[in-house]
Amino acid sequence: MDNIYIEYTFEVTPKEPATEILIAELGMVGFESFVENDNGVVAYVQKEEWKEDILSEVFILKSEEFTINYNHKEIEQTNWNAEWEKNFNPIQVEDLVSIRAPFHENPNLQYDIVIEPKMSFGTGHHETTHMMVQHLIDLDVENKKTLDMGCGTGILAIFAEMKGAKPIDAIDIDTWCYENSIENAERNGCKHISVYEGEASLLEGKKYDLIIANINRNILLNDMKTYTDCLNEKGILLLSGFYSEDIPIIDAEVSKYALTLKKTIERNNWVALQYQK
């Protein structure tokens, strides 16, 4: 039986930076996927996770700086393909990486990633995914054992394999993301990605040369020791899913485990940090 989702349509004025803040806060209260459009964002939460006051802790809705109007309705999972096809436009990162759906024309860049995101996070449109791709562009990941934690669509694992990383584990707690990552890895001809459904407890006893974790601040802080325990000496840890003002608290936690900050990328107040053990 298909899960039932509640769809919220938010009209946001002015759109930036309010839409980014809204998406972050919605993620904290249980919304699990988002489609940005010209007017704001459409957000989805599973009906079983929904409650009447679900927006009570979405503080930007109370802000006097922005005008945010919204409505909601039930939507069957099977309607999702039409929704994202209407809103998903192809993107390019540094004229090297294209991220597109199967129905988009191939721009013939060096790397071409084809995904069907369904209900999964990580189309490359969001700043955090875009910045993680930027980090990976500059890294030598050839034959590096890699983890994509909170893999969403699997886009970062796929790009890592395209750059020569192997073997790769991709993990997400969400069933949709787990299934979608498998589909997208196959769609891109990946041979070295193993996808798992679960959380940080799956990492016990594992070791990696590169760990990619694009999740949210609280989960990163909670699982940081696990990530660093799994990182080989001289290994690289890429972190994103938080704002520039969160850097001190993230850096303080990472520094407990003798990792050094090597590079920071910022995009519309979101950041992606590169650490080395």
Side-chain angles (χ1 to χ4, degrees), residues 89-131:
N89 296 314
I91 68 163
Q92 297 181 12
V93 182
E94 296 186 5
D95 292 327
L96 288 171
V97 184
S98 56
I99 301 166
R100 63 184 178 91
F103 51 83
H104 293 138
E105 186 177 347
N106 184 351
N108 295 312
L109 301 184
Q110 185 174 349
Y111 302 99
D112 180 45
I113 303 171
V114 180
I115 62 170
E116 292 198 34
K118 294 188 175 177
M119 294 294 285
S120 306
F121 177 84
T123 61
H125 289 74
H126 193 269
E127 279 78 354
T128 57
T129 311
H130 192 285
M131 290 184 295

Side-chain angles (χ1 to χ4, degrees), residues 229-240:
D229 284 349
C230 291
L231 196 61
N232 287 326
E233 199 65 31
K234 302 294 184 184
I236 297 291
L237 175 64
L238 297 178
L239 301 175
S240 196

Side-chain angles (χ1 to χ4, degrees), residues 123-143:
T123 61
H125 289 74
H126 193 269
E127 279 78 354
T128 57
T129 311
H130 192 285
M131 290 184 295
M132 289 298 228
V133 170
Q134 287 180 284
H135 274 300
L136 288 170
I137 285 173
D138 293 336
L139 284 172
D140 176 10
V141 300
E142 189 78 28
N143 294 316

Side-chain angles (χ1 to χ4, degrees), residues 211 224 227-228 231 235-239 254 259 273-275:
I211 295 178
M224 195 70 72
Y227 302 152
T228 55
L231 196 61
I236 297 291
L237 175 64
L238 297 178
L239 301 175
V254 178
L259 271 70
L273 307 180
Q274 180 186 135
Y275 287 90

Side-chain angles (χ1 to χ4, degrees), residues 56-70:
S56 63
E57 294 183 15
V58 180
F59 300 109
I60 192 172
L61 297 177
K62 304 178 179 71
S63 171
E64 295 181 357
E65 294 181 54
F66 312 106
T67 301
I68 304 177
N69 298 312
Y70 61 88

Side-chain angles (χ1 to χ4, degrees), residues 10 17 39 102 123 132 172 174 186 192 218 221 224 270:
F10 295 90
N39 300 315
T123 61
M132 289 298 228
D172 205 291
D174 182 77
E186 291 174 352
H192 305 290
N218 291 345
L221 292 171
M224 195 70 72
W270 294 90

Side-chain angles (χ1 to χ4, degrees), residues 98-251:
S98 56
I99 301 166
R100 63 184 178 91
F103 51 83
H104 293 138
E105 186 177 347
N106 184 351
N108 295 312
L109 301 184
Q110 185 174 349
Y111 302 99
D112 180 45
I113 303 171
V114 180
I115 62 170
E116 292 198 34
K118 294 188 175 177
M119 294 294 285
S120 306
F121 177 84
T123 61
H125 289 74
H126 193 269
E127 279 78 354
T128 57
T129 311
H130 192 285
M131 290 184 295
M132 289 298 228
V133 170
Q134 287 180 284
H135 274 300
L136 288 170
I137 285 173
D138 293 336
L139 284 172
D140 176 10
V141 300
E142 189 78 28
N143 294 316
K144 303 289 188 188
K145 188 173 182 182
T146 297
L147 168 67
D148 181 4
M149 193 70 195
C151 56
T153 59
I155 185 173
L156 298 175
I158 291 165
F159 183 45
E161 175 164 329
M162 287 180 174
K163 288 209 68 198
K166 63 180 179 183
I168 301 167
D169 290 341
I171 299 176
D172 205 291
I173 196 170
D174 182 77
T175 302
W176 265 103
C177 295
Y178 163 72
E179 294 173 351
N180 193 210
S181 290
I182 293 173
E183 293 169 3
N184 286 326
E186 291 174 352
R187 183 172 286 111
N188 287 273
C190 295
K191 306 296 184 187
H192 305 290
I193 297 174
S194 300
V195 185
Y196 302 94
E197 182 178 353
E199 50 192 36
S201 59
L202 292 178
L203 301 178
E204 187 174 349
K206 302 264 190 161
K207 285 290 186 180
Y208 300 97
D209 304 306
L210 171 65
I211 295 178
I212 304 163
N214 181 16
I215 312 180
N216 69 51
R217 190 191 76 168
N218 291 345
I219 293 176
L220 291 176
L221 292 171
N222 186 68
D223 294 340
M224 195 70 72
K225 184 179 188 303
T226 302
Y227 302 152
T228 55
D229 284 349
C230 291
L231 196 61
N232 287 326
E233 199 65 31
K234 302 294 184 184
I236 297 291
L237 175 64
L238 297 178
L239 301 175
S240 196
F242 48 90
Y243 297 117
S244 55
E245 51 263 35
D246 295 320
I247 292 176
I249 189 170
I250 294 287
D251 192 58

